[in-house]
Amino acid sequence: MGLLKITGLSKKYGAVTVLDGFNLDVTECTLRCLLGPNGAGKTTAMDMITGRQRADTGSILFDGHEIRGLREDKIARRGIGRKFQIPSVIRDLTVQENLFLAAADEVNPLRNMFRFGIGRARGRIDYVAELVGLKTRLAAAAGFLSHGETQWLEIGIVLMQDPKLLLMDEPAAGMTEHEAEKTVEIFNMLKKTHTLLVVEHDMAFVRGVADAVTVMHLGSVLAEGTMAEIEKNDEVRHVYLGTGDVADAA
Amino acid sequence: MTSSNLYHNSKAQWAVYAVFFIIVLAVPAVIDDSYTLNLLATFGVFAMLALSVSLVWGAGGVLTLGQGVPFGLAAYCMAMTMQMQAQTPDSPMPPFMANNSLTQLPLMWEPFKSTTTGLLIALFFPTVLWTLFGGLMFAARVHGGFVAVMTLAMLSAIGLLVLDIQPYTDGANGITPPNALLIAGHSIDPYSPTAYIIVAVALVVLAALSKALLAGKFGLVTHAIRTDSERTRFLGYNVFLYQTLLFGIAGFIASIAGCLFVMLEQYVSPAQLDVSFSVGMVIWTGVGGRASLLWAMLGALLINAGQTVVGDTLLNTWLLFLGIFFILVVRFLPKGLAGVAEWLVGFFLRRRGPAQHQAVAPAHEGG
Ligand SMILES: Nc1ncnc2c1ncn2[C@@H]1O[C@H](COP(=O)(O)OP(=O)(O)OP(=O)(O)O)[C@@H](O)[C@H]1O
Ligand SMILES: [Mg+2]
């Protein structure tokens, strides 16, 4: 049984159907990539899982419990962390403050009134900063980071929460080749202990990390399998603008 | 906090606050004119209001135009308490009620017979009401300009209600308790150094607690909510609780200000619930610098001092000038006078701080 099990998820915006009976099963300690052309509904699927949008019908089981309809912060506290497609770090806080903010081990506002200084989050901040290569940038304002560094900070923020399931929406977008390679390493390390669902258009990146792949089209599943199987699938090739090669689609 | 600007250094900030606190507390040692002392104490009450607006607007990021609600309601409760202190078994009812053809003390006045009960109601009824109101707004995820509109609507409604129930509140005349506040047998003369010190200590304690509130993790989460409330939810924080709590704390501060105002003035009227008064608080805060608790308070002090110096004859000219100045501040100086101070400190003390070229980050705790 997977850690995340989505069945028959549908969502309409007015007359537009964005998700149409979408199914997904993510096994524990694996990395599944979610592919699909622009507008396929990948980000919307993540919106449903994290409670940002409400699905019309369907079920989202996380760790065996229905989480559909729960509030965003409750879902997050169940152990689902999310990196957004559009980086949303707090730009006028430092890297360290962004990471400390994400150390949401205590969310009670009354207790947080009496918490000063980084305290017991120190170790975890240093560990995560080291992991995403921002150890020397802790004191910099997040708004001054390069694009790749901002992506890493986003990833770091998700790691600070230490969620069971990590949702990563286009983590390598805008990264240099070198940066993307390093991110591949990080993800491959993470999947030994965490479960990941990754949306990415960069096929080299997907080949580097994916244990399994789901291809979406028009809000439902078009194909599922390993990356090798997916690349041979005619339907998938056709959907990707008929280029004949998934790799060109990005 | 990486900024090389000393203005953002947390220790330096506390030092400046300490100087401000000492000056506030030392005033009676220097000034013994009782009229001036009373006036300055009233300014202290206004500074408290600016402090509360700064918490909600500057730190929380939602503009409140209704801060007069907790202030005015607390002021009315306080005036009722003080009025009842003057009533005796022979004359159980405030005189204005008879003029409004009431024959016995209305039920809503009964609890104010006891000073303790009256004070508790004055402090907590407006706070609870304001917190609930904030909770309703934040639960519905109302934000931005809508909070301003809703708080304004609430203020207008309560102002009208108070005017409307003339037999209970004496309508536009307001309530003028005949005697100074009596606490445990001591009469607190509004013109005495004691009255000043009560206000000064309250201001210092509230300002220090507010500053500490924003310096900790609560302040960091508040900063995140102000910048991107949606993102903050996905980190696992219940944004509604943080917003409501901050709003309630600001309401509590405004309630304390309301009580102290009546202690000093022995008077309350619908003017305290007037829209222009609440807008005034926003102007003091904006001109001083909403992101800085200290500068918000200084804004209130400076503007009210200016208003007193200008005097009644030129009041309208002054208000016009103030309005224009506020527009200029909003347009060219969004951080208010605090922004000027930040720039000056950065300019003159630059070489003293460690040179860091990478980032000049505004700290999450304002100045
Ligand atoms: N709030 C909304 N209201 C109306 N339509 C929406 C809304 N959100 C998304 N959509 C539509 O839903 C479709 C799916 O969008 P989604 O962002 O999920 O695509 P995606 O697969 O993430 O694409 P991309 O690869 O470009 O990020 C798009 O056609 C989009 O226009
Ligand atoms: Mg997307």
Tab-separated table of all heavy atoms in Angstrom, chain A residues 36-44 46 82 85-86 169-170 199 201, ligand 2:
chain	number	residue	atom	x	y	z
A	36	GLY	N	3.954	15.704	-17.811
A	36	GLY	CA	2.798	16.103	-18.606
A	36	GLY	C	3.038	17.474	-19.193
A	36	GLY	O	3.796	18.261	-18.640
A	37	PRO	N	2.377	17.738	-20.334
A	37	PRO	CA	2.584	19.038	-20.973
A	37	PRO	C	2.030	20.178	-20.109
A	37	PRO	O	1.319	19.930	-19.142
A	37	PRO	CB	1.789	18.912	-22.282
A	37	PRO	CG	0.842	17.786	-22.078
A	37	PRO	CD	1.461	16.865	-21.084
A	38	ASN	N	2.365	21.389	-20.453
A	38	ASN	CA	1.870	22.558	-19.724
A	38	ASN	C	0.350	22.530	-19.647
A	38	ASN	O	-0.324	22.257	-20.636
A	38	ASN	CB	2.302	23.862	-20.403
A	38	ASN	CG	3.802	24.060	-20.324
A	38	ASN	OD1	4.484	24.099	-21.333
A	38	ASN	ND2	4.315	24.155	-19.133
A	39	GLY	N	-0.166	22.772	-18.477
A	39	GLY	CA	-1.615	22.811	-18.314
A	39	GLY	C	-2.245	21.448	-18.112
A	39	GLY	O	-3.465	21.328	-18.077
A	40	ALA	N	-1.423	20.396	-17.962
A	40	ALA	CA	-1.963	19.048	-17.799
A	40	ALA	C	-2.683	18.886	-16.462
A	40	ALA	O	-3.535	18.010	-16.313
A	40	ALA	CB	-0.841	18.020	-17.909
A	41	GLY	N	-2.320	19.704	-15.495
A	41	GLY	CA	-2.968	19.628	-14.184
A	41	GLY	C	-2.047	19.156	-13.074
A	41	GLY	O	-2.500	18.785	-12.004
A	42	LYS	N	-0.726	19.190	-13.327
A	42	LYS	CA	0.238	18.692	-12.337
A	42	LYS	C	0.223	19.554	-11.074
A	42	LYS	O	0.116	19.044	-9.953
A	42	LYS	CB	1.644	18.677	-12.957
A	42	LYS	CG	1.731	17.898	-14.262
A	42	LYS	CD	3.129	17.920	-14.859
A	42	LYS	CE	3.610	19.291	-15.265
A	42	LYS	NZ	2.940	19.857	-16.451
A	43	THR	N	0.327	20.873	-11.285
A	43	THR	CA	0.323	21.772	-10.132
A	43	THR	C	-1.022	21.704	-9.413
A	43	THR	O	-1.088	21.702	-8.180
A	43	THR	CB	0.636	23.213	-10.583
A	43	THR	OG1	1.940	23.239	-11.159
A	43	THR	CG2	0.592	24.181	-9.414
A	44	THR	N	-2.092	21.585	-10.183
A	44	THR	CA	-3.422	21.487	-9.572
A	44	THR	C	-3.518	20.239	-8.699
A	44	THR	O	-4.082	20.282	-7.605
A	44	THR	CB	-4.504	21.456	-10.669
A	44	THR	OG1	-4.317	22.587	-11.517
A	44	THR	CG2	-5.895	21.522	-10.063
A	46	MET	N	-1.141	18.883	-7.053
A	46	MET	CA	-0.436	19.202	-5.808
A	46	MET	C	-1.270	20.144	-4.941
A	46	MET	O	-1.261	20.045	-3.713
A	46	MET	CB	0.917	19.824	-6.113
A	46	MET	CG	1.910	18.807	-6.663
A	46	MET	SD	3.599	19.415	-6.593
A	46	MET	CE	4.491	17.911	-6.964
A	82	ARG	N	5.816	20.938	0.769
A	82	ARG	CA	5.674	21.273	-0.641
A	82	ARG	C	6.620	22.385	-1.046
A	82	ARG	O	6.726	23.400	-0.386
A	82	ARG	CB	4.240	21.725	-0.901
A	82	ARG	CG	4.042	22.220	-2.315
A	82	ARG	CD	2.598	22.523	-2.573
A	82	ARG	NE	2.416	22.908	-3.967
A	82	ARG	CZ	1.269	23.335	-4.469
A	82	ARG	NH1	0.207	23.433	-3.690
A	82	ARG	NH2	1.174	23.674	-5.732
A	85	GLN	N	6.058	25.802	-7.416
A	85	GLN	CA	6.616	26.011	-8.758
A	85	GLN	C	7.269	27.390	-8.835
A	85	GLN	O	8.375	27.538	-9.316
A	85	GLN	CB	5.493	25.892	-9.792
A	85	GLN	CG	5.967	26.043	-11.219
A	85	GLN	CD	4.889	25.619	-12.225
A	85	GLN	OE1	3.815	25.157	-11.868
A	85	GLN	NE2	5.203	25.779	-13.488
A	86	ILE	N	6.540	28.399	-8.332
A	86	ILE	CA	7.106	29.746	-8.271
A	86	ILE	C	7.743	29.899	-6.898
A	86	ILE	O	7.056	29.818	-5.885
A	86	ILE	CB	5.998	30.796	-8.453
A	86	ILE	CG1	5.298	30.585	-9.788
A	86	ILE	CG2	6.561	32.205	-8.346
A	86	ILE	CD1	3.924	31.202	-9.862
A	169	ASP	N	7.549	20.823	-6.961
A	169	ASP	CA	7.037	21.309	-8.244
A	169	ASP	C	8.152	22.030	-8.995
A	169	ASP	O	8.546	23.124	-8.632
A	169	ASP	CB	5.835	22.242	-8.003
A	169	ASP	CG	4.923	22.319	-9.223
A	169	ASP	OD1	5.356	21.898	-10.307
A	169	ASP	OD2	3.781	22.802	-9.073
A	170	GLU	N	8.660	21.382	-10.005
A	170	GLU	CA	9.740	21.892	-10.851
A	170	GLU	C	10.943	22.390	-10.047
A	170	GLU	O	11.293	23.567	-10.100
A	170	GLU	CB	9.195	22.992	-11.775
A	170	GLU	CG	7.941	22.496	-12.505
A	170	GLU	CD	7.658	23.224	-13.797
A	170	GLU	OE1	8.490	24.059	-14.203
A	170	GLU	OE2	6.623	22.928	-14.415
A	199	VAL	N	7.460	16.995	-9.890
A	199	VAL	CA	7.050	17.455	-11.214
A	199	VAL	C	8.275	18.094	-11.847
A	199	VAL	O	8.922	18.933	-11.226
A	199	VAL	CB	5.921	18.503	-11.113
A	199	VAL	CG1	5.685	19.153	-12.462
A	199	VAL	CG2	4.653	17.867	-10.588
A	201	HIS	N	10.112	19.159	-15.893
A	201	HIS	CA	10.110	19.099	-17.354
A	201	HIS	C	11.462	18.663	-17.916
A	201	HIS	O	11.565	18.277	-19.069
A	201	HIS	CB	9.744	20.468	-17.940
A	201	HIS	CG	8.302	20.826	-17.764
A	201	HIS	ND1	7.294	20.181	-18.431
A	201	HIS	CD2	7.700	21.763	-16.988
A	201	HIS	CE1	6.131	20.703	-18.085
A	201	HIS	NE2	6.348	21.660	-17.206
C	2	MG	MG	2.631	23.599	-12.856
